[in-house]
Amino acid sequence: MQSQEWKMISKCSSRIKLAVRSGLICVSLPLVLFSCSDSADREITELVKVRLAGMTLEQKVAQMIQGEIKHVTPDHVRKYGLGSVLNGGGSFPDDDKYASVAQWLALADEYYDASVDRSQGSAGIPIIWGTDAVHGHNNVIGATLFPHNVALGAVRDPELIGRIGTATAREVRATAIDWMFAPTIAVATDLRWGRAYESFSSDPDVVESYAGAYVSAVQAEGVIATAKHYIGDGGTRRGTDQGNTSMPLDTLLSRHGRGYVTAIAADVKTVMASFNSWNGDKIHGNRELLTDVLRGQLGFEGVVVSDWNGIGQVAGCEDDRCAKAINAGIDMIMVPEEWESMLHTTVAQVEAGEISLGRIDEAVSRILKVKYEMGLMSRGRPSLGAGQLEGVIGAPEHRALAREAVRRSLVLLKNNNGLLPLNPAGTYAIFGEGADNIGMQSGGWTITWQGTGNTNEDFPGATSIQTGIEKAVAAAGGKVVAAASENEQLDAAIIVFGEQPYAETQGDIDSLAWQQRNKRDLKLIEQFTDRGIPVVSIFLTGRPLWVNAELNASDAFVVAWLPGSEGAGVADVLIAGANGAPRYEFEGSLPMSWPATDLHASVADDPVDDVLFPINFGLQSSDRVDWVALSEQPIGEGGSIDQVVFGRGVRDPWQLYVGDEGDWSLAVGPRGGKSTYGELQLSVIDRHVQEDARRADFSGTGERLSQLYFQYDEAVDMTDLESIGGVLTMELRLHTPPSASVLLRMDCGWPCSGAVDVTPVLKTMDSGEWQTISVPVACFARRGVDLSQVNTPFLIATRGALSVDIAEIAIRQSPVEDSVFDCDELVSNP
């Protein structure tokens, strides 16, 4: 290392250490920490120029490439000199979900060692590693999981946000990762959006107050923050993820841009471009927004990074080539899998004059500047600094902070007769899918991308809501019973229910109505209210939803949002102290208005504007409000018999299984799975967006039957479909035609079943082309299915070989034109 470089870094480093030791965390701090002085800025600028002048075109473009750790090895880094890697949601060292901190550190060191090795022609520049730490270091087993942003928005406390940013950054740094893709500073306007819980609030004031505080805290810990997703991701039509946000520029900035103002004032080092379009134009290719506005108007000087294959959505581009995005202002390109092709293609585009060398130099200069400012050019192996943070992952003080955030974020919507807080000496029963389910209470972006496929054992040190309540009640001499008989004398029943985990795209919904077709949670509530037992409902959700029926039926209703790993924070507020007074009062207030209807009354594409509870609403336990029964009549067709079973992901309440004679019912996790004998392999693929389809590879030789199916424990009534010509519809793409008979089955509680032979249909499909196939439900009824008791709407089975992709499985009243096969053409071979 040049002596000038070391001298400058040492000077900045000492000031950083002094500021951190002093506990100076405020919005203006990064201007001290990372600029250090005008002189230091000039020195860094000179160092960047010197580095850049010595680099080849290939070395420069390599600095702009960010690949995913599943697809980039240290040897790749050594050979190509990539500037960055990331681990996506559900990606781990050695592809091991249970990777230890030592494994994370080891891989970080391997990437670093490879990046500074010039033996194969790279520039020897240290690599930078990014991760989606959106509510804690959520990819790491045992990490503290804070409430998701929507819950933090209910607290209205930027100081708390800063403390959470500090704790998260420390846990990230403990695994030797340099860069957090957080905070999300979206302003969610249509709550059908599957990322609404990543938004602090639909009020730009709240987002504005949080963004700078979070960025300052993270970067004070030496971890790079990211303001995302620039811009308007929370304002798309119908709340469609990656959809279109249509409004004038001044409205876009005043409604969706104010968080960027405070983030930039806090010297945020990176901004991530958004998947969405603005007035029909993909932002990843929009120079006006990425350069003229972000840099010229807002004054951002750091690195603009693209989102996961986001450049591939720009008109005229592919995942591995997009001169338009680079010319528009993308500096670092997140291209997880096709990074090598992207590197070579971009070099060729520069040589062909499609991208100027000046634009490449500009992007690389920004990347190098951030690496210098953050000390990455001089720190040595990442594990050296991380070693000082042993025991930080899931540290007790971090869990205490998360628990504080949980109890402060709870919003009380109803409390008839002052039911809450509950007398700790009473007798209670706890029920509901979310009661003892840490994965459900943590939501998406939790260990896996969608937050699915986890069990309580995957959260060492965490506490479920049920466990927290049981401990609080037992400490005061009360009791919580595991099951409530008809004769059980209960002071109240506690029902914990809500949304199953989801993340982007797969979390989009068509209506804000909760369980219109199957009111299983309402039925559970009514089991107790019918017996005169008061019910406390605890609602786990990433967004306000239309729950009028559940509100009416409950005596008390608490919105717990997605509280994360410290479920005991719910008990802190729910259970009174020994003297009957609250141990902690309800403090949270709504960060988004609560809907009075399921859809907009006149324009279904518009956000719901009929408000039941406004932003800032939240009761305290002492408030006495007379409850007026709410309308339970939906605007949308609550009785619609259309049901999507699989679309972008498995839809609630269905579960996906594979099976063979070794085990007919193996639940499939978010990354796929295989049958016991391995003759059916299910994997995740991308069609339109990340992981929105599945590939089923059957490899049987004729001996054993393998099957794939969707099932729900309770029967669903599909009787009305038969008389109106309803269909089971499938969107498929064939790779390998069937070598043996393929049965398509519908079950009504095996052995109640009906099957049709779809082998001829599959054999006539065009290989490699998506095609919609619809089979009348009447076919299954004629073969023995009781349509009033369907629990398995789709099952496909074969003893042979078959490879097919699945994009959608649905029950529909109206089939896609020309997709229906006549029932008499399908031969039954049960």
Side-chain angles (χ1 to χ4, degrees), residues 792-824:
T792 306
F794 172 92
L795 183 151
I796 189 168
T798 183
R799 296 179 183 273
L802 168 69
S803 180
V804 63
D805 294 340
I806 303 171
E808 183 180 85
I809 304 293
I811 303 293
R812 299 204 180 277
Q813 302 176 63
S814 303
V816 175
E817 188 175 356
D818 298 327
S819 70
V820 181
F821 284 81
D822 187 273
C823 198
D824 292 333

Side-chain angles (χ1 to χ4, degrees), residues 353-436:
E354 297 176 52
I355 305 170
S356 71
L357 182 59
R359 174 67 194 102
I360 298 297
D361 286 349
E362 179 181 61
V364 178
S365 295
R366 291 168 180 163
I367 293 167
L368 293 177
K369 184 172 184 285
V370 168
K371 290 185 176 184
Y372 274 113
E373 289 175 336
M374 299 302 292
L376 301 181
M377 302 293 280
S378 60
R379 71 172 180 187
R381 300 185 92 193
S383 63
L384 295 176
Q388 303 170 9
L389 296 169
E390 187 176 352
V392 162
I393 299 293
E397 61 269 26
H398 293 173
R399 293 191 181 278
L401 174 60
R403 184 168 175 170
E404 174 191 346
V406 172
R407 64 176 174 253
R408 295 180 64 189
S409 67
L410 302 178
V411 178
L412 181 62
L413 297 185
K414 182 181 181 182
N415 192 26
N416 276 4
N417 302 314
L419 178 60
L420 297 178
L422 296 172
N423 177 0
T427 300
Y428 306 101
I430 304 180
F431 293 93
E433 291 179 299
D436 192 29

Side-chain angles (χ1 to χ4, degrees), residues 621-640:
S621 60
S622 58
D623 292 334
R624 296 295 178 261
V625 178
D626 292 333
W627 186 257
V628 178
L630 306 173
S631 170
E632 298 180 15
Q633 180 62 43
I635 291 173
E637 295 184 10
S640 171

Side-chain angles (χ1 to χ4, degrees), residues 560-632:
W561 309 109
L562 299 171
S565 61
E566 307 311 302
V570 175
D572 289 344
V573 184
L574 208 71
I575 308 301
N579 61 358
R583 292 186 294 163
Y584 295 93
E585 185 54 82
F586 284 94
E587 185 178 335
S589 58
L590 291 176
M592 304 164 182
S593 60
W594 202 273
T597 57
D598 54 321
L599 291 171
H600 190 282
S602 55
V603 184
D605 287 343
D606 287 353
V608 172
D609 61 355
D610 190 356
V611 174
L612 178 61
F613 301 113
I615 287 180
N616 298 323
F617 179 87
L619 298 174
Q620 291 196 320
S621 60
S622 58
D623 292 334
R624 296 295 178 261
V625 178
D626 292 333
W627 186 257
V628 178
L630 306 173
S631 170
E632 298 180 15

